Amino acid sequence: MAEVKTVNLTVDGKQITTPAGTLLIDACKSVGIEIPAFCYYPGLSLQGACRMCVVRVEKMPKLQTACTTPVAEGMIVTTESEEIAQSRKGILELLLGNHPLDCPVCDAGGQCELQDMTFKYGASGSNYVETKNHKEEQQWSPVVFFDRPRCILCYRCVRVCGEGMDVWALGVQNRGSSSVIAPNGGDHLDCEECGACIDICPVGALTSGAYRYKTRPWEMNHTATICTHCGDGCKTTLGTRQDNAGSEIVRGDNRDKSGINGDFLCIKGRYSFDFANREDRLTQPLVRQANGKLEPTTWEVAIEHVGKRLREVRQTRGGKAIGVIGSNRTTNEENYLLQKFARMVLQTNNIDHHRTADYPALLAALGGAANKAASLRDFEKAPAMLVLGNDPTEQHPALAWNIRTNVRTNRSRLYLANHADIKLRRQAKAAIEIPAHGYGALIRYLAGQESEFVPNDTATKFREALLAEPELVIAFGSEFRGRDLETLVAWALTLPNCKVAALGDYVNSRGAADMGVLPDFLPGYAPAAEGAGFADEYGAPLPTEPGMNLVQMMDAAGRGELGALYVVGSNPVSRYGVEPAVLANTFVVVQDMFLTETALLADVVLPAANLYEKSGTVTNTYGDIQLVKKASDTSGVRTDFEMIVRIADKMGARAQSMVPFGKGLRADLGQSRGAQSGEADRHAVWLAANNYEPKLSPFDPFATFDEIQRLVPSYAISRFELFSGADKAMRTDLVQIANFPADRADLVLPANDTLFTSGTLGRYSKVLHEVMESRETSPAETAAD
Amino acid sequence: MSTPTTIFSAELAARLDRLVTLYPVKRSALIPMLLYAQDEIGYCSDAVVAEAAVRVGITELDVRNVLSYYSMLRQKPLGKFHIQVCTNISCMLRGGYEILEHCQHKLGVHENKGVTPDGLFSVEEVECIGACCWAPAVQVNYDYVEDVTPASMDAAIDKYRQLARPQ
Ligand code: SF4
Ligand code: SF4
Ligand code: SF4
Ligand code: FES
Ligand code: FES
């Protein structure tokens, strides 16, 4: 790589050395000198609209805008002086000329950049006497509200929507002092509803339907955790407030840019936490009575009942007659514990989940190769990218954001092959359209194998250009499974510096596979038949024959061969269109937030906490492992983790054998539980009553994370970094899958969610509903998880 | 590449087809395109905006951003003859406001950009039209009327009225 040229300059007497081409404002920031800026926003085009960033550069006639001035050798800069303060104060006075100053009721009050600057430069008086021009607040969409007089015309919203989102839904109309931000629909927005414009607005001109007039910034607690929706695993910082039933989430954002997703969140990560507060959320366990009705009861009764019935089935019919269905949205610790419970306590390998990508085939194909799995981060800097299938704009919004940013700011080359005309085509350097079932043929063609793909000129050039790339990252959709996936990965491994990522659908779909929520694989993809190490560790013999997959379990139930089915955070009845009669003779236990189609058929329904109400880790579809912190709380519900432990306990398993709490010194000492201590307190009472050591409880997911790290080598990542909020890539080099069966049923069923759907969970989100209604499309047929 | 359906005459459509090929980027053709369209249609209607967006390959919102910036581009129909009276410094000193009031009174249109009921005339107060040497100055469509007095304004209005009569 060519050496980067640097320049030396002096700012406020400090010597700075910085790469040539750096903007003065960024150079100053790098040494801790903050220059006020309204219109400048890193990563977006330069606007030079607000003049707040003016500084004095020696030998230049007038004050210069630091946001548009690149550094130069020998520059001598002053960033604060009487003259500069006067100039900034003047700007503020003009900005405040028609500003309503309704800070006491404004959402931005307390974290408003205009407020901060006015405090700093003290433009409290005004020589401007004209009457203020008032305009009523407008609602542009279910998500976006606009309060025109508060707008300071910095154009950040216009640029983030256009350049960042490639939606171009906001514009500036008229001129001079009558300029106004305008939405593309005339009086409404027709857009992706991401809310980026709202969060980037330095003042309170753009506000969100979710948060407006609800609270003040300083009244909230803030917890950075992982979005519970798609497989990208964005970090979202949840603002919570105490309410009658625990603590309620009122805001989601990522202003600190600390996560894997940088600036980005889609509508789901920013606003779709609202399912938690629904009226019809389950908060009491339900048990089906002799009259056939589900009636509320106590936890003690419900758990006792579940334990007793499961024990009976195990005793009379054996583990083979029990099925377990796990979730795409529970933590790694919960998934791990669920498979442990299934194998160790229920004595069955009949465990599966709704699969959305063929991860086992991916890891088998990678064959222990190191550094060949692409992180979400790789898509923000790779010089070339290939996207095969999928529609990232709809299904992997953060990936789409990274791809767009990479193309825009690094001129990365995007190659696209799809059967549909997806939106990312606008960023593509080269694109080929293929038939919906032509992915296998395409990959064989690309890999230079015999293929029924008939290349035209475009395709030939496409392939040549790809092969000439010195460095490439590939993301592929669920179109690739089994043998096609193997071909793809084998080809990728022959390319220089190539990394791959499989695009699965939900927040912890990858984690479910990694943690062995599969009938044929234990955690870390150890074949079920070779579970000796696990059996030793668990201190119990484990079944070695691969179990039934989800479809086989349903078939078995239909034949009356499934005595019990334990469903954790999943809605298979809807997702797989299961007839109610199929489960008529099976004892069904469901853990969920709502009375889903599956829960309605259950014998016992246990009200579950959602991902925002628990701690642990999740793994996104790229294999990036991240920390989940408990943000909010709903009284009456329990985490799936706690429920599994309690049921195991009622089945006679020792809590210590389920969760190695108290073993070793690596367990969590409470620091990872996030802002709310309700859970810890509740546990403290139980722990004290049971003579357990406080803070090292059987409900401590980090005790299980210890065990995962011991038994799953690919999860041997730095806890220190994980706990400090970093994302750590799963170690594919430590996964070895010998004898991967060539004819293994992948059973992948893509969810085909859109920007505004999110499986079963999405159906319970008000904001997603409102957006879909406002677009007059009927909610897509979605189900499960 | 010509747009399959167009709201413009064949000549104008052909001209616009060519227009977008004249610049390194298509969007540079937007302002002349809107001006030509406005000359033919009378104003930049929604249909004009929609077609211009397609021709230039930008969003309708972007077209509107530009359209609303320039006062010479109109979003509402105006009179067949649009009388633009300058009231900027030079013209104001030499009676620009009197001329404006005179026009408004004579034609009975009192709001800015008002149109006479017969649709023949509209009157607008404008900033400097670059004819300060001959202030007060008035622009009627693309023609200039200079050193205007109420009498010469009346004559001009009569002339345009004549022009509008079917021959
Ligand atoms: S919500 Fe997102 S897509 Fe919609 S206008 Fe704002 S930035 Fe653009
Ligand atoms: S709405 Fe906000 S972000 Fe947009 S221009 Fe106005 S102040 Fe800036
Ligand atoms: S892109 Fe995915 S992970 Fe990120 S906010 Fe949206 S739904 Fe959540
Ligand atoms: S931040 Fe430099 S002009 Fe606005
Ligand atoms: S001031 Fe009227 S033309 Fe210049």
Side-chain angles (χ1 to χ4, degrees), chain A residues 88-343:
Chain A
R88 291 180 184 158
K89 189 171 166 182
I91 299 289
L92 289 166
E93 197 181 321
L94 287 171
L95 287 177
L96 295 174
N98 196 45
H99 197 84
L101 293 172
D102 55 351
C103 313
V105 297
C106 174
D107 277 354
Q111 51 181 32
C112 169
E113 297 177 35
L114 182 62
Q115 230 179 15
D116 292 349
M117 288 304 122
T118 307
F119 267 85
K120 181 159 177 197
Y121 293 99
S124 54
S126 172
N127 298 319
Y128 195 74
V129 292
E130 313 228 339
T131 40
K132 299 208 177 195
N133 183 1
H134 178 71
K135 285 277 186 311
E136 289 301 319
E137 185 179 44
Q138 301 164 22
Q139 177 170 13
W140 282 347
S141 81
V143 166
V144 187
F145 287 70
F146 182 56
D147 200 321
R148 177 174 166 184
R150 290 183 190 151
C151 171
I152 59 170
L153 289 167
C154 67
Y155 307 157
R156 280 189 195 174
C157 55
V158 175
R159 285 172 289 153
V160 77
C161 183
E163 298 164 14
M165 294 301 297
D166 192 28
V167 172
W168 307 97
L170 295 170
V172 190
Q173 302 202 338
N174 306 327
R175 162 174 52 147
S177 62
S178 0
S179 299
V180 56
I181 300 299
N184 57 356
D187 60 349
H188 67 274
L189 270 171
D190 182 8
C191 74
E192 294 181 5
E193 312 280 2
C194 67
C197 51
I198 299 171
D199 277 0
I200 210 171
C201 180
V203 295
L206 288 165
T207 57
S208 80
Y211 175 74
R212 61 194 263 291
Y213 302 135
K214 274 221 178 125
T215 186
R216 316 304 328 260
W218 58 88
E219 284 173 340
M220 289 181 286
N221 284 317
H222 302 277
T223 311
T225 187
I226 306 303
C227 167
T228 183
H229 295 282
C230 88
D232 284 348
C234 293
K235 185 177 276 185
T236 177
T237 300
L238 300 174
T240 51
R241 216 182 35 181
Q242 298 304 313
D243 74 353
N244 298 340
S247 81
E248 178 197 8
I249 305 169
V250 284
R251 191 172 82 175
D253 67 35
N254 60 338
R255 288 174 192 231
D256 65 355
K257 300 187 202 167
S258 64
I260 197 166
N261 44 317
D263 280 15
F264 179 78
L265 282 175
C266 77
I267 178 172
K268 287 182 257 184
R270 225 183 288 263
Y271 303 116
S272 188
F273 45 74
D274 51 0
F275 50 77
N277 303 327
R278 272 176 71 108
E279 290 288 304
D280 55 355
R281 170 117 189 237
L282 299 174
T283 53
Q284 278 178 294
L286 306 173
V287 172
R288 198 168 295 280
Q289 306 296 319
N291 64 8
K293 288 218 176 76
L294 280 173
E295 300 285 358
T297 179
T298 64
W299 276 99
E300 190 56 31
V301 168
I303 299 261
E304 178 81 55
H305 182 57
V306 173
K308 186 167 145 263
R309 291 296 306 273
L310 289 179
R311 212 167 46 218
E312 278 167 20
V313 178
R314 184 186 60 189
Q315 262 159 22
T316 57
R317 304 169 65 177
K320 285 207 165 108
I322 308 182
V324 175
I325 296 175
S327 174
N328 279 297
R329 297 202 210 261
T330 48
T331 62
N332 287 325
E333 293 69 29
E334 290 171 326
N335 290 339
Y336 177 90
L337 193 68
L338 183 66
Q339 69 79 34
K340 183 174 184 179
F341 172 65
R343 295 183 160 116

Side-chain angles (χ1 to χ4, degrees), chain A residues 320-326 350-354 547-568 570-590 597-599 601 747 784:
Chain A
K320 285 207 165 108
I322 308 182
V324 175
I325 296 175
N350 298 338
I351 176 166
D352 203 351
H353 66 288
H354 164 215
M548 290 188 276
N549 62 38
L550 197 153
V551 175
Q552 290 165 337
M553 285 186 237
M554 292 302 166
D555 289 347
R559 291 191 306 268
E561 289 165 16
L562 200 68
L565 182 66
Y566 180 34
V567 183
V568 174
S570 182
N571 187 9
V573 168
S574 163
R575 174 65 72 184
Y576 292 86
V578 177
E579 289 296 323
V582 166
L583 291 171
N585 298 316
T586 306
F587 174 70
V588 181
V589 181
V590 172
E597 289 83 347
T598 309
L601 301 179
L747 243 69

